Amino acid sequence: MRREIDREIWRLAVPAFLALVSEPLFLLSDAAIVGHLGTPELAGLGIAAVVLQTAVGLCVFLAYGTTASVARHLGAGDRSRALAQGVDGVWLAVLIGVVTTVAGVALTGPLVAAFGAEAEVSDHAATYLRIAFLGTVPLLVMLAATGVLRGLQDTRTPLVVAVAGNALNIVLNLLLVYGAGPVAGMGLAGSAVGSVLAQLASAAALVAVVARGARREGTSLRPDLRGVRAAARAAVALVVRTLTLRAALLVTTYAVTLGAGAGSAVDLATHQLAMTLWTFLAFALDAIAIAAQAITGRHLGAGDVAAARAVTRRMVQWGVVSGVATGVGLAALSPLLGPLFSSDPDVQRLLVPVLVVAAVGQPVAGVVFVLDGVLIGAGDGTYLAWGGLATLAVYAPLAILAAQLLGGLVAVWVVFSAVFMGMRFVVLTRRARTDAWLVTGAPTVTT
């Protein structure tokens, strides 16, 4: 039984792991390329990345919610309805993406100014962010289309597209940032343009796969307003849950500016690198959570509560093992990572203790990400929303207090790892022990 569960988990988790690791490479490659332009450019990228990740991250429900609903319909034996639900999700992504792009470009100045960084850093951040917001629609479409395929138990196709898109991103960034020619040598702006073009190509590839599957099942590709509205309503709880997570990351960056005093470029640049690496590992640990969304949704859609429980127990065990492995690896490599992303010796020195703090928290993160995926797959978004609000209410004042009283980047990261991730651990493990999230059957669409 355990062997069968492991095969099912890793059949989905391994391709998801490789795809998820590839996704933050968009930012890692940007950081490596931009970091050698100079510390102000890297610090500007850090601020822009936080804003952009917040805007796009709030819409992660397009992947997570779509995965769960498509998987439930698949478990209930209705593949055509599963694809129809997915198509509705893609159209919702287009609608939200257009609104986000317009608002983001118009508000770039105030958003960057809110961080209170030095003038040169703020200028670089605004330059990157205005261009990067143009890639919002393809980014959100990528999320929705990936969610459709995961719900159909296909994590290999998103892997292929993610790897190809990331490779294209690196090539375009190198060419447009440093290369020669009429459209090359653009500096920081070239990095943003290259990423947008790579995201557009990736979105087109994923949509083509979803459209082909829909046509095979006789599912219409036209927007169904009732289905789009239903998807939007179902997403509200996940939006709140995601908003609390993104707000916590924004609070962390704000606390760094307070602790550094007048927004030190060294602290901000180091924080950007540390957060990018933490996000990289978070995506890696999230691979089992992606499998959890798809498998949990399918089992509950088929009414098999016992299987959902058994898979959850096993995935939590694998989450602990994965967290220990990533923590040991991060701690061991911490002295070597700084020179890869920055030529500033101050940034290199400060990065080591921050990464050690992040490494200690990895086993807890492994459990947190798995249970988050299980509850999303179960459609338990309301609980996740309330749990996220409670966690944020505790973490935000403590992070700011630590920055003001203790100062320094390391102190902020200690509070982030111990309080924020610790609170999430308590909230999720408490829920997983109950039966409240074990709701069976396919979701219904109402007017």
Side-chain angles (χ1 to χ4, degrees):
M1 179 69 174
R2 177 176 289 188
R3 197 171 298 168
E4 291 177 2
I5 291 174
D6 284 348
R7 277 200 299 267
E8 183 177 30
I9 292 170
W10 294 111
R11 178 181 63 82
L12 295 175
V14 170
F17 164 74
L18 296 173
L20 288 168
V21 166
S22 180
E23 288 180 23
L25 284 176
F26 272 112
L27 288 176
L28 281 172
S29 58
D30 283 355
I33 293 169
V34 171
H36 291 285
L37 287 173
T39 298
E41 286 86 352
L42 182 59
L45 174 63
I47 291 175
V50 168
V51 175
L52 187 64
Q53 287 172 353
T54 300
V56 175
L58 289 175
C59 301
V60 75
F61 69 86
L62 292 166
Y64 291 174
T66 303
T67 295
S69 60
V70 169
R72 275 184 175 264
H73 283 297
L74 187 70
D78 193 346
R79 189 179 183 88
S80 176
R81 183 59 208 158
L83 279 161
Q85 187 89 58
V87 170
D88 292 338
V90 172
W91 280 110
L92 179 61
V94 173
L95 178 61
I96 295 174
V98 170
V99 174
T100 303
T101 299
V102 173
V105 172
L107 296 174
T108 290
L111 288 171
V112 170
F115 288 88
E118 301 167 359
E120 184 180 7
V121 171
S122 295
D123 288 343
H124 288 307
T127 296
Y128 187 96
L129 191 57
R130 282 195 182 91
I131 299 171
F133 263 124
L134 300 179
T136 304
V137 172
L139 274 172
L140 299 193
V141 168
M142 286 169 62
L143 286 176
T146 297
V148 177
L149 296 174
R150 288 173 181 166
L152 295 173
Q153 318 295 290
D154 175 12
T155 55
R156 292 186 179 182
T157 300
L159 166 62
V160 173
V161 174
V163 171
N166 186 64
L168 178 61
N169 178 65
I170 293 173
V171 171
L172 289 173
N173 270 255
L174 288 172
L175 173 64
L176 296 175
V177 173
Y178 295 112
V183 293
M186 298 170 60
L188 185 61
S191 176
V193 171
S195 294
V196 169
L197 293 176
Q199 291 154 7
L200 184 61
S202 298
L206 288 170
V207 168
V209 174
V210 172
R212 186 165 60 246
R215 284 194 293 266
R216 279 199 303 265
E217 297 295 327
T219 302
S220 174
L221 296 177
R222 295 179 180 178
D224 178 356
L225 294 182
R226 187 179 69 165
V228 172
R229 285 197 300 268
R233 284 196 299 271
V236 171
L238 283 181
V239 171
V240 174
R241 166 257 180 203
T242 305
L243 181 61
T244 63
L245 300 181
R246 300 310 310 179
L249 297 183
L250 285 171
V251 166
T252 305
T253 300
Y254 177 67
V256 171
T257 65
L258 289 179
S264 165
V266 170
D267 274 33
L268 282 171
T270 305
H271 177 67
Q272 157 62 11
L273 292 180
M275 187 56 71
T276 301
L277 290 165
W278 186 88
T279 302
F280 180 88
L281 294 180
F283 274 98
L285 293 174
D286 216 25
I288 305 175
I290 296 302
Q293 293 171 22
I295 297 171
T296 301
R298 195 184 80 240
H299 283 320
L300 292 180
D304 195 342
V305 171
R309 275 284 192 195
V311 171
T312 297
R313 285 194 297 270
R314 189 58 176 159
M315 286 187 291
V316 167
Q317 293 170 0
W318 280 116
V320 174
V321 172
S322 300
V324 170
T326 57
V328 171
L330 182 61
L333 293 173
S334 58
L336 308 176
L337 293 172
L340 294 178
F341 300 103
S342 175
S343 55
D344 188 329
D346 291 333
V347 171
Q348 295 173 14
R349 281 193 295 270
L350 183 57
L351 185 62
V352 175
V354 174
L355 292 184
V356 170
V357 170
V360 172
Q362 287 298 293
V364 169
V367 175
V368 166
F369 295 145
V370 167
L371 290 180
D372 195 50
V374 167
L375 296 182
I376 288 173
D380 201 21
T382 300
Y383 178 82
L384 292 173
W386 283 110
L389 289 169
T391 299
L392 180 64
V394 173
Y395 169 67
L398 288 179
I400 294 173
L401 189 63
Q404 291 177 327
L405 296 182
L406 302 177
L409 184 60
V410 177
V412 173
W413 270 83
V414 168
V415 176
F416 174 77
S417 296
V419 177
F420 178 63
M421 295 305 295
M423 277 288 297
R424 292 190 69 197
F425 178 86
V426 171
V427 166
L428 294 171
T429 53
R430 180 180 179 182
R431 183 65 164 184
R433 293 192 185 101
T434 72
D435 294 330
W437 56 278
L438 295 167
V439 179
T440 59
T444 57
V445 177
T446 58
T447 56

